[in-house]
Amino acid sequence: MMTLSTRTMFAFVAGLSVIPALGGLAVTGINWTASAEETCCKEGDTTPPTELVAKFAKGQLHSPYPDYAKLAKDDPDLVKKFRAPGCNECHGGTGGGGICPALTQGVWFWGNTDDVLFRLITLGSADLEKQGYKRLGYGSVHAPMPPMGGTIKTSDDLWKIIAWIRSINPPGSNPPDKVLPAE
């Protein structure tokens, strides 16, 4: 069985052409795009967030947890998913802010769709912008969002973090009252 290092897999996911030597076998690239019948996303998905972002086209990522308030209510430890990868280091332990914007005010600098939030957290703001997304505004903090896709182990973990973030926002700030990124 052949395994690839995390660094090599990231290079593929990032869309780079990599030729690692694998026992005399040369690999020149992998197309990670989803087939037409493949849909995203399912509860319990263990796909790393970086792979999911590379696999699905812009606008195709949808949370498997549309009832985020119920998920947060039923799982009081959901905040630990938020804290585990280090989100609390910048956004505060309860999302109320710190050296980065508060996540409790219903203000979405990049838009509030599932797709935008998943990609922003996975890729960080610099790479999100490189993919054609436009920032809608700034708060008092102008620092970039770092990419967290390599820190958060599974897509399911990230969807649960997004569900928790949505649960701490005021009514009317989450879908279906979507704030879409500028095209």
Side-chain angles (χ1 to χ4, degrees):
M1 183 170 142
M2 177 177 61
T3 59
L4 298 175
S5 70
T6 301
R7 185 176 187 162
T8 302
M9 289 302 291
F10 181 77
F12 285 133
V13 170
L16 301 175
S17 181
V18 177
I19 305 175
L22 300 171
L25 175 67
V27 178
T28 58
I30 295 176
N31 184 355
W32 288 93
T33 57
S35 65
E37 59 276 345
E38 203 170 358
T39 60
C40 179
C41 299
K42 296 173 181 52
E43 288 185 28
D45 186 356
T46 59
T47 305
T50 52
E51 286 182 27
L52 206 63
V53 163
K55 188 175 186 178
F56 288 92
K58 185 177 182 178
Q60 298 302 306
L61 299 175
H62 304 286
S63 176
Y65 302 105
D67 193 351
Y68 50 85
K70 181 180 182 330
L71 181 67
K73 182 181 176 207
D74 291 351
D75 185 357
D77 290 334
L78 196 57
V79 69
K80 292 178 184 175
K81 293 258 186 224
F82 170 76
R83 292 180 183 149
C87 304
N88 60 311
E89 298 293 326
C90 298
H91 294 287
T94 58
I99 62 170
C100 290
L103 302 175
T104 56
Q105 300 171 335
V107 176
W108 306 98
F109 299 123
W110 292 90
N112 74 352
T113 65
D114 290 340
D115 187 79
V116 168
L117 295 177
F118 194 95
R119 290 176 196 277
L120 173 62
I121 296 167
T122 300
L123 301 171
S125 55
D127 282 348
L128 188 70
E129 197 166 24
K130 287 177 188 173
Q131 290 194 357
Y133 289 82
K134 304 281 188 238
R135 189 175 185 125
L136 303 174
Y138 287 91
S140 58
V141 179
H142 286 249
M145 167 75 185
M148 300 299 290
T151 305
I152 300 169
K153 292 186 185 347
T154 72
S155 294
D156 192 65
D157 287 343
L158 182 47
W159 285 124
K160 287 179 177 177
I161 290 169
I162 291 170
W164 182 80
I165 292 169
R166 289 194 184 291
S167 79
I168 62 173
N169 270 273
S173 64
N174 288 303
D177 305 314
K178 294 186 181 204
V179 176
L180 301 173
E183 291 292 325

